[in-house]
Amino acid sequence: MEITSNPYLLLYILVTISFTSALAPFISEIAFNVHVFSKYAYIHAIVLGIIIGFLVTPLAKKMAGFHEGFNLYNLGFTGGIFGAVIASVLKLYQFVVVPQRIISVEHDVELKIISSSVFISLIIVGYYINNKSFEGYKTLLKDNGLKSDFVIKYGYGVTFINMGIMGFVAIIYTILLGETLNGPLLAGVLTIVGFSAYGKTILNITPILLGVFLGKFGSQIDGFTLALSGLFGSSLAPIAGVYGPFWGVIAGMLHVAVVQSIGIIHGGLNLYNNGFSAGIVAGFLLPIISTLKESTNKRKSKYLQRQKSLHDLIRKTEDNLYDDKNK
């Protein structure tokens, strides 16, 4: 079957290609690493890139079952697993990866102005597409965000409105934390905007952001890491949407804890480290939530059964008294 005959297959491949770029640093490290540079380095890098591209699609399909769709960044989780394997092989042969942290703080105002202009444009365009109204937006807010394509369910207009509003929510979050907008944080903001067409709303990301913020108390996490963890950690939004704000807060707190330590596994070469962390958190939390829910439902069922038995007994007693009275 030709790819062009199935538009959905083509779309899936294009999405996979886009997100697989999370592992791009592996190619750069192989090609330009000064510690192990050889004349074949570029060839090795190209071969590794082809292998990654070939294997990531079947891996992504399998990995989605681990978190059951509750991590919106499935390719980030897949990239983390795949990256951990590649990094382990490289370490086995003494391939040294030197961590870097280069963060700009010079263009905060300009980035906020440009971003705000784009978000306002999204809201205005969405408003006009949606027959000059915000009708349907309240319905979208009630969506739990689990495997939800907002464009299909609510249309382009309402989706654009949601994207624009969520962009402002993301920027306000960074401002409240006192952080300047830079490359990584802007990427987090734009990721929230993008996934506001596929699962994210104000109601289901707020508990995650709150949980990440609460996770800082008693720790020594810096503001930049906190802001980045919150923006990208919003990939756990479906947990809050399906199971409620409480579990969303718990997921956020666990995420900020896990994301700080998990990067060492892939040597920092998976750009979607938060997606990797979110997949682990979701896979860890879901069985616990399900077990507690089942236990609660069983207790409720037993309670209702006892209440019904008591009600039946009272009714039977009343009937007997009535019969005795009429004899």
Side-chain angles (χ1 to χ4, degrees):
M1 180 181 67
E2 294 184 1
I3 292 176
T4 53
S5 66
N6 189 337
Y8 293 103
L9 179 60
L10 178 60
L11 177 63
Y12 177 78
I13 291 174
L14 289 175
V15 171
T16 303
I17 290 172
S18 300
F19 287 113
T20 304
S21 59
L23 295 175
F26 277 101
I27 286 75
S28 299
E29 279 293 329
I30 295 295
F32 305 115
N33 192 300
V34 295
H35 299 288
V36 291
F37 182 79
S38 71
K39 59 182 179 181
Y40 300 110
Y42 300 139
I43 297 175
H44 295 159
I46 293 171
V47 170
L48 177 60
I50 293 172
I51 292 173
I52 289 173
F54 183 76
L55 295 178
V56 75
T57 300
L59 279 174
K61 289 182 179 179
K62 290 294 182 181
M63 296 302 170
F66 180 77
H67 51 76
E68 301 176 24
F70 282 87
N71 170 28
L72 295 178
Y73 305 163
N74 182 50
L75 263 297
F77 178 62
T78 304
I81 298 293
F82 200 177
V85 174
I86 299 173
S88 299
V89 173
L90 294 178
K91 288 178 183 177
L92 180 64
Y93 296 100
Q94 288 77 47
F95 188 94
V96 180
V97 177
V98 180
Q100 297 186 54
R101 178 165 171 162
I102 305 172
I103 301 172
S104 169
V105 293
E106 300 171 356
H107 305 289
D108 177 60
V109 176
E110 296 93 325
L111 289 175
K112 285 176 180 174
I113 291 173
I114 295 171
S115 299
S116 298
S117 302
V118 173
F119 303 152
I120 290 173
S121 300
L122 282 170
I123 295 172
I124 293 173
V125 170
Y127 177 80
Y128 276 93
I129 291 177
N130 199 44
N131 298 319
K132 296 183 179 180
S133 75
F134 291 94
E135 184 180 354
Y137 181 62
K138 287 185 178 180
T139 305
L140 181 146
L141 289 178
K142 297 176 183 178
D143 198 294
N144 60 30
L146 180 62
K147 300 177 182 178
S148 296
D149 190 330
F150 290 164
V151 173
I152 294 176
K153 297 176 74 172
Y154 308 106
Y156 282 103
V158 177
T159 302
F160 283 167
I161 291 170
N162 187 52
M163 292 171 70
I165 292 173
M166 292 293 284
F168 283 113
V169 171
I171 285 184
I172 290 171
Y173 177 72
T174 61
I175 292 174
L176 291 176
L177 292 177
E179 292 300 307
T180 58
L181 204 58
N182 48 48
L185 294 184
L186 180 61
V189 170
L190 295 179
T191 301
I192 284 183
V193 174
F195 276 87
S196 294
Y198 188 74
K200 294 186 182 183
T201 69
I202 295 177
L203 297 183
N204 64 14
I205 75 162
T206 300
I208 306 297
L209 297 178
L210 178 60
V212 170
F213 177 75
L214 293 176
K216 80 169 188 176
F217 294 102
S219 70
Q220 297 186 1
I221 184 172
D222 61 273
F224 170 78
T225 304
L226 193 71
L228 196 67
S229 300
L231 294 173
F232 284 110
S234 59
S235 61
L236 292 165
I239 291 181
V242 174
Y243 295 112
F246 171 78
W247 287 110
V249 172
I250 297 298
M253 294 179 70
L254 285 176
H255 176 75
V256 74
V258 173
V259 76
Q260 293 185 83
S261 303
I262 207 69
I264 194 173
I265 296 178
H266 49 73
L269 297 180
N270 171 30
L271 294 178
Y272 302 162
N273 185 50
N274 278 270
F276 183 30
S277 171
I280 293 173
V281 170
F284 171 78
L285 268 185
L286 290 177
I288 296 174
I289 297 174
S290 298
T291 301
L292 292 176
K293 289 285 185 183
E294 288 175 7
S295 176
T296 302
N297 290 336
K298 285 181 180 179
R299 287 199 300 271
K300 285 183 179 179
S301 179
K302 288 180 180 180
Y303 172 76
L304 292 174
Q305 190 173 5
R306 287 197 302 269
Q307 290 293 101
K308 183 178 182 301
S309 300
L310 181 61
H311 180 268
D312 292 342
L313 180 61
I314 293 172
R315 186 174 180 180
K316 185 177 180 181
T317 302
E318 289 177 346
D319 290 342
N320 290 337
L321 290 172
Y322 179 79
D323 292 340
D324 291 342
K325 184 178 179 180
N326 291 331
K327 283 183 179 180

